[in-house]
Amino acid sequence: PSLREGFGLAAAEAIACGKPVVSTRSGGPEDIITNENGKLADPGNPQQLADALTDVLESLDSYIPEKLRESVKQKFDSKIIFSRLNAAYEEVSGQRTASGRFTSNS
């Protein structure tokens, strides 16, 4: 388990494949893993990690693959990412066209 994790791509990919995930609260996984799609443990706490693994393994039947996939899609679908990036660019530049796309001053 990671002590520090920038994003947690492997966790997002596993959940997108319909699998629950156990990871550590190490910077990135907290934005991806919820009680609905896995469990988190504190870094450097092997007992908490073991408990989280046991909990997920004992309740595998309660994780519905379609719901797991949807939990990742709601955050990381390309349309959602584009919308967030578009909003950030709009906020920074203050420019927007009628179509909602940005224009450039250069």
Side-chain angles (χ1 to χ4, degrees), residues 50-104:
D51 291 345
L53 286 165
T54 300
D55 187 39
V56 167
L57 289 171
E58 288 178 349
S59 59
L60 276 177
D61 292 341
S62 69
Y63 294 100
I64 301 166
E66 293 79 18
K67 285 187 177 184
L68 297 179
R69 284 190 283 276
E70 188 61 30
S71 74
V72 171
K73 186 177 178 182
Q74 287 177 359
K75 285 188 170 190
F76 303 111
D77 181 76
S78 61
K79 290 177 185 177
I80 291 168
I81 296 297
F82 175 77
S83 177
R84 288 181 188 158
L85 285 172
N86 196 41
Y89 286 130
E90 182 179 312
E91 183 179 331
V92 171
S93 72
Q95 297 177 355
R96 185 173 168 177
T97 67
S99 68
R101 299 211 171 145
F102 294 102
T103 61
S104 173

Side-chain angles (χ1 to χ4, degrees), residues 28-39:
E30 300 96 300
D31 293 330
I32 301 166
I33 302 170
T34 66
N35 284 334
E36 289 76 36
N37 61 25
K39 297 289 179 190

